[in-house]
Amino acid sequence: MAEIKERLLPPKPASAANLRELSHRPPISGRQPFQGIDVLGLKKRGQGLRSWIRVDTSGNSQVIEVDKFTMMRRCDLPARDLRLLDPLFVYPSTILGREKAIVVNLEQIRCIITADEVLLLNSLDSYVLQYVVELQRRLQAAGAGEVWQSEGELSRRRGSRNIDNMFGTPSPDYLPFEFRALEVALESACTFLDSQAAELEIEAYPLLDELTSKISTLNLERVRRLKSRLVALTRRVQKVRDEIEQLMDDDGDMAEMYLTEKKRRMELSCYGDQSLLGYRSTDGALSLSAPVSPVSSPPESRRLEKSLSIARSRHESMRSSESGAETQSIEELEMLLEAYFVVIDSTLNKLTSLKEYIDDTEDFINIQLDNVRNQLIQFELLLTTATFVVAIFGVVAGIFGMNFEIPMFNEPNAFKWVLIITGVTGAVIFISFLWFFKHRRLMPL
């Protein structure tokens, strides 16, 4: 990984201090260099340059520095599409099909895919480096497969059926260059999101089990942070899923992303126009140089009609082949998107199940808290009833504590009977309250 970083990173630019020293250092010839040029402003004007990793169809990679406007002219993209790839801004996941390029913004993978190359923003992120390495490996493996296929075709012509069965048959799942690059980008994004979902699951389930066994402020705070991360990750996964589903539902967008086929059609149309113009110029030269005779004119007109009919038939066959290739390309891309739609949908279902588990845990905790609250209310009710019963003794003591005399004070057993009658009365009242609570189902007794 360190070798890949050293190979992909651009050379360190000169600092402003070095530029200042170079500007003030006297030259050998005695003339001042950069006369009329603000040397310190070169760095400001050069801030539009960005480092890109370029991967061609053969799997070769190189680091290039291109400014924004050059990239717009090179890929025929508007400025708003390049703004989606700006690392200073956070945009949701997007896959856009344009006339000559596919703009991909999937998590850490931000690249521009054309029919001949992939332009990836240079970054130190490990997933970006893994994307470059995986794309190079697949492109090189595909190149080796094409060589084996050509060798198998040669051996088939020589009559070797075994080699023909091994290498001569073309691969049914052949994909053009832009679809291979898009497949690696989708695979990297889905793998990254699935790994994050797996890490979240590993962290979530033990924490939730611990929270159900012991409800504390620390555990509740940890679950709150976990739920915030889960909601953010679910939103990102949902955006990738919606983007893939939107592409699958729109055949026009999928046909627009078939860059290799559009490039081939453009080349064929240009070649056909050039050949037709060449034939017309040749025919015009012959008509000017040759003498006009009634005998030779009918064959020339027949030849012209024949050439025009051949051109029309070629154009019709080209249109039919284009429509067939467009249908095939849509089917290929739809199958590719459907495969990764299943993967990202599985990740979303995993996160949804985790969210439901968190919601169930929260419901269970709320039930436990409600149960504790009900127990406290019942205990408070018992204390209130007991306080009422004890208050009866206070009333009796207050009555007999008044400063007056009655004949009952002279009885020796009067105090004992007062206590007995008051206690029995309080017990009867307390038991009556308990029976009332049980009858009303206010307290499980």
Side-chain angles (χ1 to χ4, degrees):
M1 191 65 70
E3 296 179 357
I4 298 174
K5 289 182 179 180
E6 292 178 358
R7 183 163 54 90
L8 295 180
L9 283 178
K12 186 176 181 181
S15 60
N18 296 333
L19 291 174
R20 191 179 294 109
E21 290 179 1
L22 291 176
S23 62
H24 291 289
R25 182 180 300 173
I28 299 176
S29 60
R31 298 178 57 187
Q32 292 292 333
F34 307 111
Q35 291 183 358
I37 299 177
D38 185 10
V39 181
L40 297 178
L42 290 176
K43 183 175 178 61
K44 296 180 180 179
R45 289 194 292 270
Q47 287 179 354
L49 293 176
R50 287 184 181 174
S51 179
W52 297 78
I53 302 176
R54 178 183 178 275
V55 182
D56 57 8
T57 56
S58 302
N60 301 320
S61 64
Q62 62 177 347
V63 177
I64 58 176
E65 290 188 356
V66 184
D67 60 351
K68 180 179 179 180
F69 299 101
T70 305
M71 186 62 66
M72 290 168 57
R73 291 192 300 267
R74 180 171 183 168
C75 302
D76 196 10
L77 292 175
R80 61 183 179 182
D81 291 345
L82 288 181
R83 200 175 296 117
L84 295 174
L85 307 179
D86 197 339
L88 300 179
F89 300 97
V90 179
Y91 289 98
S93 298
T94 309
I95 301 176
L96 300 177
R98 295 295 184 247
E99 183 65 27
K100 295 182 181 180
I102 301 174
V103 181
V104 178
N105 179 17
L106 294 174
E107 296 300 321
Q108 283 81 7
I109 307 301
R110 301 184 178 190
C111 61
I112 300 174
I113 302 174
T114 64
D116 302 322
E117 60 186 3
V118 175
L119 298 170
L120 186 73
L121 277 175
N122 195 2
S123 174
L124 293 178
D125 194 279
S126 60
Y127 285 95
V128 176
L129 300 180
Q130 289 177 7
Y131 172 79
V132 175
V133 173
E134 181 65 21
L135 181 61
Q136 288 178 341
R137 186 186 66 81
R138 294 194 183 186
L139 292 176
Q140 292 172 359
E146 291 176 358
V147 173
W148 294 344
Q149 186 175 350
S150 62
E151 291 180 356
E153 193 71 26
L154 181 60
S155 63
R156 185 179 62 83
R157 292 177 181 177
R158 292 177 180 177
S160 177
R161 296 183 179 180
N162 294 328
I163 303 298
D164 174 39
N165 294 330
M166 293 174 61
F167 303 105
T169 306
S171 176
D173 56 349
Y174 171 76
L175 292 175
F177 171 74
E178 63 271 14
F179 288 175
R180 295 179 190 175
L182 180 61
E183 181 182 9
V184 178
L186 289 171
E187 182 179 352
S188 300
C190 293
T191 304
F192 175 71
L193 293 174
D194 189 70
S195 62
Q196 284 197 343
E199 292 177 0
L200 205 61
E201 277 187 334
I202 294 174
E203 183 181 355
Y205 287 113
L207 179 59
L208 294 174
D209 294 339
E210 183 181 356
L211 181 62
T212 54
S213 60
K214 181 183 178 181
I215 302 175
S216 62
T217 306
L218 179 60
N219 290 336
L220 289 174
E221 179 64 23
R222 292 171 62 188
V223 171
R224 185 190 66 82
R225 295 177 182 175
L226 179 68
K227 191 173 182 180
S228 301
R229 291 168 52 194
L230 175 63
V231 170
L233 182 59
T234 304
R235 190 181 299 113
R236 289 158 53 193
V237 173
Q238 183 70 42
K239 186 63 179 80
V240 175
R241 180 185 179 276
D242 293 343
E243 192 68 26
I244 297 176
E245 186 177 9
Q246 183 180 359
L247 282 176
M248 292 173 59
D249 293 339
D250 196 339
D251 294 343
D253 289 345
M254 287 192 292
E256 194 73 18
M257 296 172 67
Y258 204 87
L259 305 179
T260 303
E261 183 65 24
K262 288 195 293 185
K263 181 181 178 181
R264 186 183 65 84
R265 294 175 193 172
M266 188 178 298
E267 292 177 352
L268 288 177
S269 63
C270 293
Y271 178 75
D273 294 340
Q274 291 177 0
S275 61
L276 184 60
L277 289 174
Y279 179 79
R280 286 181 179 178
S281 62
T282 305
D283 185 42
L286 290 174
S287 62
L288 290 174
S289 60
V292 179
S293 64
V295 180
S296 61
S297 59
E300 293 294 334
S301 62
R302 293 193 191 98
R303 185 180 301 173
L304 180 60
E305 291 177 357
K306 184 177 180 180
S307 63
L308 292 176
S309 63
I310 291 174
R312 284 195 298 268
S313 63
R314 183 180 299 173
H315 181 66
E316 291 176 358
S317 63
M318 187 182 301
R319 289 183 60 186
S320 62
S321 64
E322 287 176 0
S323 62
E326 181 178 353
T327 305
Q328 183 180 3
S329 69
I330 291 175
E331 292 178 357
E332 291 176 354
L333 183 57
E334 188 174 5
M335 292 175 62
L336 174 65
L337 295 176
E338 185 177 358
Y340 289 98
F341 178 80
V342 172
V343 175
I344 200 67
D345 190 64
S346 175
T347 305
L348 183 61
N349 292 333
K350 190 185 301 183
L351 294 175
T352 305
S353 301
L354 181 58
K355 187 178 183 301
E356 291 177 355
Y357 189 80
I358 292 177
D359 294 338
D360 294 341
T361 305
E362 290 179 350
D363 295 338
F364 179 73
I365 291 173
N366 291 329
I367 291 173
Q368 282 187 337
L369 294 177
D370 292 339
N371 187 24
V372 172
R373 191 180 298 110
N374 292 334
Q375 291 178 359
L376 292 175
I377 293 173
Q378 292 172 5
F379 183 70
E380 183 181 1
L381 191 60
L382 288 176
L383 286 179
T384 305
T385 306
T387 304
F388 177 75
V389 172
V390 173
I392 297 176
F393 285 90
V395 172
V396 174
I399 293 174
F400 283 95
M402 292 182 181
N403 192 11
F404 63 91
E405 293 184 0
I406 57 174
M408 191 175 61
F409 288 167
N410 298 323
E411 294 291 333
N413 296 326
F415 182 72
K416 181 175 66 175
W417 283 107
V418 170
L419 290 179
I420 292 173
I421 293 171
T422 306
V424 171
T425 304
V428 170
I429 294 174
F430 187 74
I431 292 172
S432 300
F433 272 110
L434 292 181
W435 178 83
F436 176 76
F437 294 153
K438 183 178 181 181
H439 180 70
R440 293 290 184 175
R441 295 181 180 179
L442 299 176
M443 186 180 300
L445 295 174

